[in-house]
Amino acid sequence: MFTEERHKRIIHLLEEKRSLTTKELAKILNVSIDSIRRDFITLENKGLLQRTHGGAILKQQSLIYPKSANERYTNIDNENYAIAKKAITFINENETIFVGGSSVHYAMTEYLPNDIQYTVVTNSSTVAEKIKSMENIQLILIGGTMKKSGNMTDALALNMVNLFHFDVCFITCGGFNGKAITTTSTDVALFINSVINNSQKKVGLIHHSKMNRTLFSKIADIKTIDTIITDSKTKEQHLSEITSNLELIIAK
């Protein structure tokens, strides 16, 4: 594993665990403790973590490494699958829905209804590939410059998404602070904001790891969302910070 790749992995692990010891990380990443200590110094100098006695904690930041395509679609946890199962209950016959290209969207492909007719619009070639053989779904793939993840969010994709009206959109974010949903990338923020504006019902799929976090680019105020589905690991204090009167569902 190259150094940069290891650094991304350390940040992702800290996002999940919030704190880790040097010994734990050395074992997980199969490298020496001295290597992890050097990684900690580098990442602390970049403002991404804070070293502690024997380990490190994640430092709140506005820019976070995006997950690689392999991690995004192969290391999906039980909480994302629980959210996905709840999300598909919002799909009705003859509707047009928007599904993006995050981990929870990919998890949704395992549970999409196959006994009713409906249209799925996605900006993810990976999601499209997964569901293209489902005969009950009319599939529309939004085009543009493709990222390594298979997602498209550039100006071309933005123009194309504005051609549609969605009965339901399922949106995700990198950060949620009770007042707004945020992400690291400005093009992603603009794209998802357009999806929201073109949707009748907006369902936010928010993993517990995204709570109490504010990232660089604001997608939308929470008042624009109708329903939030989160998982059972979300802390009660974070739920109580939600400032909008919306439907809140805890997936178990």
Side-chain angles (χ1 to χ4, degrees):
M1 183 182 294
F2 293 111
T3 302
E4 184 178 352
E5 185 180 355
R6 191 169 67 247
H7 288 176
K8 290 181 180 181
R9 182 69 176 141
I10 289 171
I11 295 300
H12 292 157
L13 287 167
L14 283 173
E15 286 175 15
E16 294 174 3
K17 308 289 187 181
R18 297 298 176 186
S19 66
L20 283 166
T21 67
T22 308
K23 189 175 181 179
E24 284 174 328
L25 271 172
K27 185 177 181 180
I28 292 170
L29 300 177
N30 195 29
V31 295
S32 69
I33 289 176
D34 285 340
S35 293
I36 296 297
R37 285 176 179 151
R38 287 193 294 270
D39 291 336
F40 281 172
I41 293 171
T42 300
L43 293 169
E44 186 175 51
N45 289 338
K46 291 181 178 181
L48 297 176
L49 59 74
Q50 180 180 332
R51 285 185 293 163
T52 62
H53 180 69
I57 58 174
L58 186 67
K59 186 174 181 179
Q60 176 66 37
Q61 72 253 28
S62 62
L63 291 172
I64 292 177
Y65 288 123
K67 288 184 178 181
S68 68
N70 182 58
E71 283 184 290
R72 180 178 299 185
Y73 301 126
T74 59
N75 297 325
I76 302 177
D77 60 23
N78 292 332
E79 289 72 39
N80 269 318
Y81 279 116
I83 293 171
K85 286 180 184 179
K86 286 290 184 182
I88 61 97
T89 64
F90 285 86
I91 301 172
N92 297 304
E93 189 162 15
N94 296 325
E95 288 187 338
T96 297
I97 69 169
F98 175 83
V99 177
S102 70
S103 298
V104 70
H105 290 134
Y106 192 77
M108 283 179 66
T109 64
E110 297 289 334
Y111 310 110
L112 287 173
N114 58 13
D115 58 344
I116 58 173
Q117 302 288 321
Y118 55 101
T119 298
V120 174
V121 180
T122 183
N123 65 322
S124 168
S125 62
T126 307
V127 167
E129 180 67 26
K130 188 79 182 296
I131 65 176
K132 69 178 184 181
S133 61
M134 294 182 68
E135 295 183 359
N136 64 306
I137 293 177
Q138 176 177 280
L139 177 63
I140 299 174
L141 177 62
I142 289 174
T145 303
M146 189 180 298
K147 301 177 180 179
K148 290 182 179 180
S149 64
N151 293 349
M152 289 155 279
T153 56
D154 65 351
L156 183 59
L158 182 61
N159 286 334
M160 190 171 176
V161 81
N162 282 322
L163 299 175
F164 301 105
H165 169 78
F166 307 109
D167 293 292
V168 186
C169 70
F170 298 96
I171 61 167
T172 58
C173 60
F176 175 65
N177 61 16
K179 298 179 181 179
I181 53 175
T182 58
T183 186
T184 297
S185 170
T186 53
D187 65 314
V188 172
L190 288 169
F191 181 86
I192 299 176
N193 183 265
S194 291
V195 171
I196 292 171
N197 290 337
N198 292 325
S199 300
Q200 184 168 341
K201 186 171 182 63
K202 286 80 71 173
V203 180
L205 312 178
I206 303 180
H207 191 270
H208 68 271
S209 64
K210 314 301 181 184
M211 293 288 183
N212 194 33
R213 175 194 286 173
T214 303
L215 299 186
F216 177 67
S217 296
K218 179 180 174 181
I219 297 170
D221 290 322
I222 191 60
K223 64 184 180 182
T224 65
I225 308 302
D226 301 305
T227 302
I228 285 181
I229 306 175
T230 188
D231 60 84
S232 58
K233 288 188 177 181
T234 298
K235 296 179 180 179
E236 184 62 36
Q237 69 185 75
H238 296 156
L239 296 177
S240 65
E241 291 170 357
I242 295 175
T243 59
S244 182
N245 184 23
L246 46 69
E247 181 183 21
L248 179 63
I249 298 174
I250 311 297
K252 298 179 181 180

